[in-house]
Amino acid sequence: MSLIALVTLVVRDYDEAIAFYRDALGFDLAEDTDRGDGSRWVVVRPRGAADGTGLLLARAEDEAQGAAVGAQTGGRVGFFLHTEDFAADHERMRAAGVRFLEEPRHETYGSVAVFEDLYGNRWDLLQPAAA
């Protein structure tokens, strides 16, 4: 069996990214290791997803990487955060300052609202419809 363990997200600053994903989105900080060369290995995961896909928060190291911060998917929704309690998570995230780009929608596939992370990357908060 194969699985995607990590997805790299290029960020401006490790600590501000950790604070956003931990405090605003409720993620767990799974790892924060100094690599000895000024860089760090920083992994965050949605709370309770110890074995699920995580985000490797990688600080931009040059101008080209810096230009990708916030635009890693060309302005499209590129990340999908599933929830079992859409209303509670939507409200908690709004109260934590997360910027939603639309009001919640209830589609045939579930409840959804698009939000931006601290850099402008677009995410769906999604509670899939019951099967």
Side-chain angles (χ1 to χ4, degrees), residues 72-88:
Q72 293 174 91
T73 61
R76 294 187 60 111
V77 171
F79 306 95
F80 301 83
L81 182 60
H82 283 201
T83 178
E84 294 178 351
D85 189 343
F86 181 88

Side-chain angles (χ1 to χ4, degrees), residues 15-95:
D15 294 323
E16 73 180 4
I18 290 168
F20 177 81
Y21 286 96
R22 183 191 58 219
D23 302 341
L25 297 192
F27 283 28
D28 290 328
L29 177 60
E31 185 173 356
D32 185 356
T33 303
D34 186 327
R35 298 184 67 200
D37 61 358
S39 67
R40 292 156 55 184
W41 185 264
V42 177
V43 176
V44 295
R45 286 191 172 86
R47 187 160 289 133
D51 296 328
T53 302
L55 292 177
L56 173 65
L57 304 178
R59 186 184 64 208
E61 295 181 356
D62 58 30
E63 191 174 314
Q65 290 179 13
V69 172
Q72 293 174 91
T73 61
R76 294 187 60 111
V77 171
F79 306 95
F80 301 83
L81 182 60
H82 283 201
T83 178
E84 294 178 351
D85 189 343
F86 181 88
D89 285 337
H90 180 262
E91 182 54 36
R92 178 188 53 75
M93 290 167 62
R94 282 188 56 236

